[in-house]
Amino acid sequence: MIVLGIETSCDETGVALYDSVRGLLAHRLYSQVRTHAEFGGVVPELASRDHIRKLVPLVRTVIHDSGVDCSEIGGIAYTAGPGLIGALMVGAAVARSLAWAWGLPAVAVHHMEGHLLAPMLEPDPPQFPFVALLVSGGHTLLVEVAGVGRYRTLGESVDDAAGEAFDKTAKMLGLGYPGGPALARLADQACEPERRFPRPMTDRPGLDFSFSGLKTHTLTALAQSDRGDRARADIAAAFQDAVVDTLLIKCRRALRQCGLARLVVAGGVSANRLMRERLGGMAEQDKISVYFPRLEFCTDNGAMIAYAGCQRLLHGGSDGLQIDVRPRWPLDSLAPAA
Ligand code: KG4
Ligand code: ZN
């Protein structure tokens, strides 16, 4: 089955065509980074307007790139939440309208399920069950995954998401939006990481996270420094080190608690190089397997939505004609795909 996937939950317009037999046929991404950069963060109304401008031309281009005829498409998948309501509405309205015009089933996809299944697009995908660490701009979740749609949340952030902490800390350090990659680049310039920041909530049992204290710690360190290039790089490195180490400690704990030896790491922050290196090292040490999406599928994209939707459409799943989106949507409430 060939599925058209549409992602518009935040500031990237993502479109892809996925074939359950041949794999990914084509995918394109339009990033709104330049639109939002001057405001230092995503402006929801501008995001919606940009999706309106870019989505239909992008759908056309992806279909053209793939060499597939519209009549070969068997279903449409679109992100229905969580995310910015206006942005989600654009993707949902276009997906639903195309499905109605082409007489196809359409399925609403949970954005974090898309992230969670993104490593399935790689040549050596993980087998179920596994533990997933989902680290994006809006969510930090540890999930036990028994199959598609069979999720049990083990832990989550009680305040800022990991990506949000990266973005806010980057802003404090005078870096532009999006902050995560900029902070990682600054950290690369640190000579010798001299500071050690705390690893929040690792000294007590449990799998929840908290990153807002680390942000305050960074602010204090910055206020006590000369704010020079060297000090800022050093602080960025100490912050990144603390976030990555905290995530690693909790992943190890979750794997032991579930008795599992497979870990999936996905969402924007999984593009972080230090994170990939450290978790790779942990995998070797603990004799577990760790799976990451390729870099371009760590952050938001249409391919993961096409893949996730396809798994549901293949088992007869589809949603009604109404255009329904959910800015908030607990992952655990999803129904199994089969
Ligand atoms: O998954 P994503 O593209 O969008 C959401 O669903 O939120 O994640 C975006 C987040 C942003 O907070 C961004 O700063 C962070 O991922 N991010 C990174 C890196 N690349 C993206 N954080 C740290 N290091 C990176 N290399
Ligand atoms: Zn995302």
Side-chain angles (χ1 to χ4, degrees):
M1 175 188 257
I2 297 177
V3 175
L4 175 69
I6 292 178
E7 156 64 38
T8 62
S9 68
C10 191
D11 58 347
E12 332 258 11
T13 317
V15 177
L17 271 173
Y18 175 80
D19 182 347
S20 54
V21 179
R22 291 181 289 165
L24 196 60
L25 301 178
H27 66 97
R28 290 250 179 173
L29 187 82
Y30 172 75
S31 171
Q32 303 179 352
V33 162
R34 265 175 298 151
T35 307
H36 303 291
E38 66 176 295
F39 303 100
V42 180
V43 183
E45 179 58 26
L46 294 183
S48 312
R49 290 186 208 174
D50 235 7
H51 287 309
I52 289 172
R53 269 195 293 269
K54 299 293 179 188
L55 183 53
V56 172
L58 217 52
V59 168
R60 258 199 208 110
T61 310
V62 165
I63 294 174
H64 178 264
D65 288 352
S66 71
V68 159
D69 188 81
C70 294
S71 61
E72 296 174 68
I73 298 173
I76 300 183
Y78 61 95
T79 305
L84 302 171
I85 189 156
L88 290 166
M89 283 297 291
V90 177
V94 169
R96 280 264 150 245
S97 308
L98 283 175
W100 187 76
W102 289 340
L104 294 176
V107 67
V109 174
H110 190 294
H111 181 76
M112 299 312 288
E113 177 175 64
H115 276 305
L116 193 157
L117 297 174
M120 298 297 186
L121 291 161
E122 300 309 311
D124 177 26
Q127 304 278 310
F128 297 113
F130 54 76
V131 167
L133 171 70
L134 304 178
V135 271
S136 70
H139 298 83
T140 304
L141 288 168
L142 264 169
V143 189
E144 186 179 11
V145 179
V148 178
R150 297 172 65 200
Y151 311 128
R152 186 167 71 92
T153 299
L154 303 165
E156 60 192 315
S157 179
V158 297
D159 41 56
D160 292 350
E164 190 181 358
F166 263 97
D167 293 338
K168 288 179 177 169
T169 305
K171 214 175 213 175
M172 285 192 291
L173 290 165
L175 303 170
Y177 157 87
L183 190 146
R185 278 195 298 277
L186 180 61
D188 278 344
Q189 289 161 28
C191 310
E192 192 58 36
E194 290 154 26
R195 300 165 200 266
R196 188 183 155 86
F197 282 8
R199 275 64 172 144
M201 291 179 77
T202 53
D203 57 351
R204 64 188 96 160
L207 294 168
D208 284 339
F209 304 91
S210 165
F211 292 109
S212 74
L214 205 50
K215 212 173 51 195
T216 315
H217 194 90
T218 309
L219 195 60
T220 311
L222 192 63
Q224 288 167 351
S225 77
D226 63 4
R227 293 175 180 266
D229 288 349
R230 192 162 174 181
R232 287 168 54 253
D234 192 28
I235 290 169
F239 169 84
Q240 180 178 241
D241 184 62
V243 173
V244 168
D245 201 35
T246 303
L247 293 169
L248 182 150
I249 292 167
K250 295 288 166 95
C251 283
R252 191 173 251 159
R253 208 179 268 179
L255 287 161
R256 288 195 182 142
Q257 185 177 307
C258 298
L260 292 172
R262 278 186 293 267
L263 176 69
V264 158
V265 189
V269 183
S270 67
N272 184 273
R273 189 169 47 82
L274 184 73
M275 172 108 162
R276 294 171 91 96
E277 281 171 14
R278 289 269 178 87
L279 287 174
M282 176 189 94
E284 251 175 56
Q285 228 179 353
D286 295 4
K287 304 209 166 18
I288 62 141
S289 307
V290 63
Y291 302 85
F292 291 95
R294 73 190 80 164
L295 283 179
E296 65 182 324
F297 295 161
C298 287
T299 42
D300 293 347
N301 64 85
M304 65 183 195
I305 302 304
Y307 178 86
C310 184
Q311 305 317 303
R312 292 183 177 277
L313 288 159
L314 280 174
H315 292 99
S318 78
D319 294 290
L321 275 177
Q322 76 278 15
I323 297 166
D324 228 353
V325 296
R326 303 183 63 173
R328 286 170 197 281
W329 189 1
L331 189 63
D332 293 44
S333 70
L334 296 187

